[in-house]
mmCIF file of all heavy atoms in Angstrom:
data_model
loop_
_atom_site.group_PDB
_atom_site.id
_atom_site.type_symbol
_atom_site.label_atom_id
_atom_site.label_comp_id
_atom_site.label_asym_id
_atom_site.label_seq_id
_atom_site.Cartn_x
_atom_site.Cartn_y
_atom_site.Cartn_z
ATOM 1 N N MET P 1390 -17.510 99.943 -184.785
ATOM 2 C CA MET P 1390 -17.866 98.644 -184.167
ATOM 3 C C MET P 1390 -19.345 98.309 -184.405
ATOM 4 O O MET P 1390 -20.221 99.099 -184.096
ATOM 5 C CB MET P 1390 -17.624 98.741 -182.646
ATOM 6 C CG MET P 1390 -16.328 98.105 -182.179
ATOM 7 S SD MET P 1390 -16.250 96.324 -182.448
ATOM 8 C CE MET P 1390 -17.244 95.728 -181.076
ATOM 9 N N GLY P 1396 -30.240 86.039 -183.560
ATOM 10 C CA GLY P 1396 -31.673 85.833 -183.784
ATOM 11 C C GLY P 1396 -32.032 84.399 -183.449
ATOM 12 O O GLY P 1396 -31.298 83.468 -183.802
ATOM 13 N N MET P 1401 -41.771 76.652 -186.834
ATOM 14 C CA MET P 1401 -43.114 76.231 -186.408
ATOM 15 C C MET P 1401 -43.001 75.323 -185.182
ATOM 16 O O MET P 1401 -43.363 74.150 -185.212
ATOM 17 C CB MET P 1401 -43.832 75.535 -187.574
ATOM 18 C CG MET P 1401 -45.340 75.533 -187.426
ATOM 19 S SD MET P 1401 -46.186 75.032 -188.938
ATOM 20 C CE MET P 1401 -45.753 73.311 -189.070
ATOM 21 N N SER P 1410 -43.220 80.151 -171.267
ATOM 22 C CA SER P 1410 -42.335 79.716 -170.180
ATOM 23 C C SER P 1410 -40.863 79.837 -170.590
ATOM 24 O O SER P 1410 -40.016 80.159 -169.753
ATOM 25 C CB SER P 1410 -42.690 78.337 -169.619
ATOM 26 O OG SER P 1410 -42.694 77.416 -170.625
ATOM 27 N N ASP P 1418 -30.191 89.437 -168.133
ATOM 28 C CA ASP P 1418 -28.798 89.894 -168.098
ATOM 29 C C ASP P 1418 -28.695 91.140 -168.966
ATOM 30 O O ASP P 1418 -28.175 91.100 -170.087
ATOM 31 C CB ASP P 1418 -27.872 88.778 -168.606
ATOM 32 C CG ASP P 1418 -26.414 89.082 -168.348
ATOM 33 O OD1 ASP P 1418 -26.086 90.264 -168.106
ATOM 34 O OD2 ASP P 1418 -25.592 88.149 -168.399
ATOM 35 N N ALA P 1437 -47.822 87.752 -178.809
ATOM 36 C CA ALA P 1437 -48.321 88.633 -177.743
ATOM 37 C C ALA P 1437 -47.782 88.211 -176.371
ATOM 38 O O ALA P 1437 -47.276 89.057 -175.616
ATOM 39 C CB ALA P 1437 -49.842 88.654 -177.746
ATOM 40 N N GLY P 1440 -43.985 88.789 -176.177
ATOM 41 C CA GLY P 1440 -43.745 90.236 -176.082
ATOM 42 C C GLY P 1440 -43.946 90.727 -174.660
ATOM 43 O O GLY P 1440 -43.118 91.483 -174.129
ATOM 44 N N LEU P 1443 -41.157 89.452 -172.333
ATOM 45 C CA LEU P 1443 -39.817 90.020 -172.568
ATOM 46 C C LEU P 1443 -39.734 91.506 -172.213
ATOM 47 O O LEU P 1443 -38.637 92.065 -172.185
ATOM 48 C CB LEU P 1443 -39.408 89.848 -174.038
ATOM 49 C CG LEU P 1443 -39.171 88.419 -174.530
ATOM 50 C CD1 LEU P 1443 -38.787 88.436 -176.010
ATOM 51 C CD2 LEU P 1443 -38.071 87.719 -173.717
ATOM 52 N N GLY P 1445 -39.019 94.860 -170.817
ATOM 53 C CA GLY P 1445 -38.094 95.314 -169.772
ATOM 54 C C GLY P 1445 -36.836 94.472 -169.635
ATOM 55 O O GLY P 1445 -35.957 94.792 -168.842
ATOM 56 N N MET P 1450 -38.070 91.297 -179.964
ATOM 57 C CA MET P 1450 -38.869 90.250 -180.591
ATOM 58 C C MET P 1450 -39.128 90.600 -182.056
ATOM 59 O O MET P 1450 -39.239 91.781 -182.409
ATOM 60 C CB MET P 1450 -40.196 90.115 -179.844
ATOM 61 C CG MET P 1450 -41.056 88.974 -180.343
ATOM 62 S SD MET P 1450 -42.536 88.795 -179.337
ATOM 63 C CE MET P 1450 -43.457 90.243 -179.857
ATOM 64 N N ASN P 1454 -42.196 86.282 -190.649
ATOM 65 C CA ASN P 1454 -42.641 86.621 -192.004
ATOM 66 C C ASN P 1454 -43.701 87.707 -191.887
ATOM 67 O O ASN P 1454 -44.215 87.955 -190.783
ATOM 68 C CB ASN P 1454 -43.254 85.373 -192.655
ATOM 69 C CG ASN P 1454 -43.643 85.593 -194.104
ATOM 70 O OD1 ASN P 1454 -43.034 86.411 -194.802
ATOM 71 N ND2 ASN P 1454 -44.650 84.877 -194.561
ATOM 72 N N ASP P 1474 -48.048 96.087 -183.457
ATOM 73 C CA ASP P 1474 -49.061 96.051 -182.405
ATOM 74 C C ASP P 1474 -48.767 94.923 -181.397
ATOM 75 O O ASP P 1474 -48.994 95.057 -180.194
ATOM 76 C CB ASP P 1474 -50.410 95.814 -183.109
ATOM 77 C CG ASP P 1474 -51.602 96.012 -182.215
ATOM 78 O OD1 ASP P 1474 -51.524 96.871 -181.321
ATOM 79 O OD2 ASP P 1474 -52.617 95.311 -182.410
ATOM 80 N N CYS P 1477 -43.460 93.604 -181.979
ATOM 81 C CA CYS P 1477 -42.260 93.252 -182.772
ATOM 82 C C CYS P 1477 -41.469 94.500 -183.132
ATOM 83 O O CYS P 1477 -42.045 95.553 -183.414
ATOM 84 C CB CYS P 1477 -42.659 92.601 -184.092
ATOM 85 S SG CYS P 1477 -43.400 90.985 -183.879
ATOM 86 N N LEU P 1506 -39.429 98.550 -193.721
ATOM 87 C CA LEU P 1506 -38.700 99.805 -193.477
ATOM 88 C C LEU P 1506 -39.676 100.971 -193.329
ATOM 89 O O LEU P 1506 -39.517 101.814 -192.437
ATOM 90 C CB LEU P 1506 -37.713 100.074 -194.619
ATOM 91 C CG LEU P 1506 -36.523 99.109 -194.689
ATOM 92 C CD1 LEU P 1506 -35.810 99.233 -196.033
ATOM 93 C CD2 LEU P 1506 -35.545 99.344 -193.540
ATOM 94 N N HIS P 1508 -42.544 100.944 -192.115
ATOM 95 C CA HIS P 1508 -43.254 100.861 -190.830
ATOM 96 C C HIS P 1508 -42.315 100.899 -189.624
ATOM 97 O O HIS P 1508 -42.752 100.760 -188.486
ATOM 98 C CB HIS P 1508 -44.095 99.586 -190.771
ATOM 99 C CG HIS P 1508 -45.346 99.689 -191.578
ATOM 100 N ND1 HIS P 1508 -45.388 99.423 -192.928
ATOM 101 C CD2 HIS P 1508 -46.597 100.069 -191.233
ATOM 102 C CE1 HIS P 1508 -46.621 99.620 -193.379
ATOM 103 N NE2 HIS P 1508 -47.359 100.017 -192.367
ATOM 104 N N GLY P 1509 -41.031 101.005 -189.874
ATOM 105 C CA GLY P 1509 -40.086 101.052 -188.750
ATOM 106 C C GLY P 1509 -39.767 99.691 -188.159
ATOM 107 O O GLY P 1509 -39.285 99.600 -187.026
ATOM 108 N N ARG P 1523 -23.829 75.670 -204.846
ATOM 109 C CA ARG P 1523 -22.457 75.744 -204.311
ATOM 110 C C ARG P 1523 -21.522 74.843 -205.117
ATOM 111 O O ARG P 1523 -20.427 75.233 -205.493
ATOM 112 C CB ARG P 1523 -22.451 75.340 -202.831
ATOM 113 C CG ARG P 1523 -21.081 75.483 -202.209
ATOM 114 C CD ARG P 1523 -21.105 75.288 -200.707
ATOM 115 N NE ARG P 1523 -19.899 75.813 -200.120
ATOM 116 C CZ ARG P 1523 -19.709 77.075 -199.765
ATOM 117 N NH1 ARG P 1523 -20.655 77.969 -199.931
ATOM 118 N NH2 ARG P 1523 -18.568 77.456 -199.244
ATOM 119 N N GLY P 1538 -31.572 91.807 -205.734
ATOM 120 C CA GLY P 1538 -32.973 91.648 -206.153
ATOM 121 C C GLY P 1538 -33.938 91.968 -205.019
ATOM 122 O O GLY P 1538 -35.006 92.535 -205.228
ATOM 123 N N LEU P 1540 -33.279 94.033 -202.621
ATOM 124 C CA LEU P 1540 -33.058 95.404 -202.129
ATOM 125 C C LEU P 1540 -33.316 96.474 -203.204
ATOM 126 O O LEU P 1540 -32.962 97.639 -202.999
ATOM 127 C CB LEU P 1540 -31.618 95.549 -201.608
ATOM 128 C CG LEU P 1540 -31.261 94.718 -200.379
ATOM 129 C CD1 LEU P 1540 -29.807 94.943 -199.969
ATOM 130 C CD2 LEU P 1540 -32.187 95.042 -199.206
ATOM 131 N N TRP P 1559 -27.904 74.455 -197.580
ATOM 132 C CA TRP P 1559 -27.453 73.100 -197.240
ATOM 133 C C TRP P 1559 -27.020 72.984 -195.773
ATOM 134 O O TRP P 1559 -26.827 71.883 -195.269
ATOM 135 C CB TRP P 1559 -26.303 72.680 -198.169
ATOM 136 C CG TRP P 1559 -25.232 73.730 -198.310
ATOM 137 C CD1 TRP P 1559 -25.217 74.738 -199.227
ATOM 138 C CD2 TRP P 1559 -24.068 73.899 -197.499
ATOM 139 N NE1 TRP P 1559 -24.111 75.522 -199.040
ATOM 140 C CE2 TRP P 1559 -23.388 75.030 -197.990
ATOM 141 C CE3 TRP P 1559 -23.531 73.207 -196.416
ATOM 142 C CZ2 TRP P 1559 -22.198 75.496 -197.425
ATOM 143 C CZ3 TRP P 1559 -22.345 73.659 -195.856
ATOM 144 C CH2 TRP P 1559 -21.697 74.784 -196.363
ATOM 145 N N VAL P 1565 -24.955 70.111 -190.713
ATOM 146 C CA VAL P 1565 -23.713 70.338 -191.462
ATOM 147 C C VAL P 1565 -23.511 71.846 -191.566
ATOM 148 O O VAL P 1565 -24.207 72.520 -192.325
ATOM 149 C CB VAL P 1565 -23.815 69.773 -192.908
ATOM 150 C CG1 VAL P 1565 -22.496 69.954 -193.648
ATOM 151 C CG2 VAL P 1565 -24.240 68.336 -192.881
ATOM 152 N N VAL P 1595 -23.664 97.831 -192.163
ATOM 153 C CA VAL P 1595 -24.678 96.780 -192.226
ATOM 154 C C VAL P 1595 -24.195 95.549 -191.439
ATOM 155 O O VAL P 1595 -23.035 95.157 -191.517
ATOM 156 C CB VAL P 1595 -25.012 96.411 -193.706
ATOM 157 C CG1 VAL P 1595 -23.843 95.753 -194.401
ATOM 158 C CG2 VAL P 1595 -26.248 95.545 -193.778
ATOM 159 N N ILE P 1617 -18.306 88.690 -189.519
ATOM 160 C CA ILE P 1617 -19.521 87.992 -189.062
ATOM 161 C C ILE P 1617 -20.051 88.652 -187.786
ATOM 162 O O ILE P 1617 -19.376 88.673 -186.765
ATOM 163 C CB ILE P 1617 -19.243 86.478 -188.836
ATOM 164 C CG1 ILE P 1617 -18.676 85.860 -190.123
ATOM 165 C CG2 ILE P 1617 -20.506 85.767 -188.360
ATOM 166 C CD1 ILE P 1617 -18.423 84.356 -190.068
ATOM 167 N N ALA P 1620 -25.363 85.554 -185.324
ATOM 168 C CA ALA P 1620 -25.919 84.374 -185.986
ATOM 169 C C ALA P 1620 -27.438 84.385 -185.956
ATOM 170 O O ALA P 1620 -28.050 84.959 -185.054
ATOM 171 C CB ALA P 1620 -25.408 83.113 -185.295
ATOM 172 N N ASP P 1630 -30.831 76.839 -172.486
ATOM 173 C CA ASP P 1630 -29.396 76.716 -172.213
ATOM 174 C C ASP P 1630 -28.564 76.916 -173.467
ATOM 175 O O ASP P 1630 -27.561 77.635 -173.444
ATOM 176 C CB ASP P 1630 -29.059 75.338 -171.621
ATOM 177 C CG ASP P 1630 -29.547 75.243 -170.198
ATOM 178 O OD1 ASP P 1630 -29.972 76.284 -169.652
ATOM 179 O OD2 ASP P 1630 -29.532 74.124 -169.644
ATOM 180 N N SER P 1631 -28.962 76.265 -174.570
ATOM 181 C CA SER P 1631 -28.095 76.392 -175.750
ATOM 182 C C SER P 1631 -28.163 77.797 -176.325
ATOM 183 O O SER P 1631 -27.128 78.354 -176.730
ATOM 184 C CB SER P 1631 -28.368 75.311 -176.790
ATOM 185 O OG SER P 1631 -29.700 75.327 -177.186
#
Side-chain angles (χ1 to χ4, degrees):
M1390 259 296 281
M1401 202 168 68
S1410 56
D1418 191 342
L1443 293 179
M1450 185 175 72
N1454 185 29
D1474 191 33
C1477 292
L1506 291 166
H1508 284 85
R1523 184 171 197 86
L1540 295 180
W1559 47 272
V1565 183
V1595 67
I1617 304 183
D1630 287 351
S1631 57

